Amino acid sequence: DAGVTQSPTHLIKTRGQQVTLRCSPKSGHDTVSWYQQALGQGPQFIFQYYEEEERQRGNFPDRFSGHQFPNYSSELNVNALLLGDSALYLCASSLGQTLTSQETQYFGPGTRLLVL
Amino acid sequence: DAKTTQPTSMDCAEGRAANLPCNHSTISGNEYVYWYRQIHSQGPQYIIHGLKNNETNEMASLIITEDRKSSTLILPHATLRDTAVYYCIVRGRHGSSNTGKLIFGQGTTLQVKP
C-alpha cells in the first residue's frame, strides 16, 4: 500500500520564479491538503482539495494556487517566489466526506524549497 | 492560532515510558485530540487520536481527562528512534466547519537518552 509521495524532494529557485510541486495521495484517499513549514516552526495550512476543488484555504496570498486531478493527485503552484517562501512543503492525504471517518491526514515526506 | 499548550521540551530515558502532556482547555464537544510526531526533516507521522475515551494502538496510548481539558500521550517503552517533535492538535469533528485543516503549534521536542 503506497503512502503519500511528493516530488521533487529538493528544489532551488531564484526570486521571482514560479514553482510547481506534486503530490500523489495514499491509495484510496481522495482529499489532499498542503502545508508550509518554515524552519523551526510547525506546519501551516495552505489549502485543501476535494473533488478537484479548493474546499478550504489558510491565510496565504493568491500567489499560492493548486490543482487536483481526476486521479486525486495534486499540484501546488507558487508564483513570484520570495525569499520567505523557502520552506518544507508538505502534502497530506485523507479520505473525505464519509459519515464515520475523522479524516485522519497522512503526510508525505515533503519538498524542500530554497529560494535564492 | 493553536488551541493547545505543550511543554517546549522533555527528556526521557531509553526504555522508560514517555508521558507527553497537552492542555486544551477551550476544547469543544465536537473536537478531537490528535497527536502527530515529526522526526527531523521528515513529514509528520500520525500517532493516535481520541474524542473522550482513552485510546491505545501499536504506537502509543492517549489518556484524556474526564473534563477533556487536557490529555497525555504515553509512549510505553521509549527508544532512541522516538526522539522527535510531538504535536498535540485539536480538530473539529466531521461535518463541522473546521475539519479540513490541522493547526500545529510549536510542539514538544522529546529527547530520548541512552
Side-chain angles (χ1 to χ4, degrees):
Chain A
D1 182 20
V4 181
T5 60
Q6 294 186 242
S7 63
T9 56
H10 295 80
L11 202 53
I12 299 175
K13 292 286 188 178
T14 57
R15 282 179 299 173
Q17 284 190 310
Q18 179 264 344
V19 68
T20 297
L21 310 181
R22 296 175 176 83
C23 172
S24 291
K26 183 178 170 70
S27 178
H29 285 181
D30 57 7
T31 303
V32 172
S33 304
W34 286 92
Y35 294 80
Q36 179 196 65
Q37 186 174 24
L39 199 61
Q41 304 294 317
Q44 300 294 309
F45 177 77
I46 303 175
F47 42 53
Q48 184 183 79
Y49 276 83
Y50 172 72
E51 290 188 339
E52 303 180 46
E53 293 196 356
E54 184 182 292
R55 179 160 72 172
Q56 192 172 7
R57 188 178 182 93
N59 187 25
F60 278 81
D62 292 344
R63 297 188 298 110
F64 289 78
S65 63
H67 188 77
Q68 185 178 34
F69 299 93
N71 67 353
Y72 308 122
S73 66
S74 177
E75 290 182 348
L76 165 65
N77 301 290
V78 187
N79 294 321
L81 284 166
L82 304 174
L83 297 180
D85 294 331
S86 295
L88 179 67
Y89 287 86
L90 296 159
C91 166
S93 76
S94 56
L95 181 62
Q97 297 299 314
T98 69
L99 293 178
T100 57
S101 168
Q102 283 78 54
E103 299 186 52
T104 297
Q105 295 184 13
Y106 296 88
F107 286 81
T111 294
R112 177 75 63 185
L113 173 65
L114 178 60
V115 182
L116 301 176
Chain B
D1 292 335
K3 300 171 68 174
T4 63
T5 303
Q6 300 177 251
T8 302
S9 63
M10 294 181 63
D11 290 341
C12 177
E14 188 179 20
R16 303 297 294 269
N19 297 286
L20 291 89
C22 179
N23 286 323
H24 31 79
S25 58
T26 61
I27 194 170
S28 61
N30 65 349
E31 291 179 319
Y32 285 81
V33 179
Y34 276 75
W35 283 83
Y36 285 79
R37 72 180 182 184
Q38 188 172 25
I39 297 169
H40 183 62
S41 295
Q42 298 181 20
Q45 178 188 22
Y46 166 75
I47 302 173
I48 199 168
H49 73 278
L51 183 63
K52 56 182 179 180
N53 297 320
N54 298 337
E55 302 287 345
T56 296
N57 63 18
E58 65 279 3
M59 289 183 67
S61 295
L62 174 60
I63 308 299
I64 302 175
T65 58
E66 191 169 344
D67 63 6
R68 301 186 69 239
K69 293 185 177 182
S70 65
S71 60
T72 301
L73 178 74
I74 301 172
L75 308 178
H77 304 286
T79 71
L80 298 178
R81 287 178 292 181
D82 292 322
T83 292
V85 178
Y86 287 76
Y87 295 101
C88 170
I89 299 167
V90 168
R91 184 169 179 225
R93 195 170 190 175
H94 176 77
S96 71
S97 62
N98 194 30
T99 55
K101 60 183 178 182
L102 297 171
I103 301 175
F104 288 81
Q106 295 297 314
T108 296
T109 298
L110 175 68
Q111 181 73 46
V112 180
K113 299 185 174 181

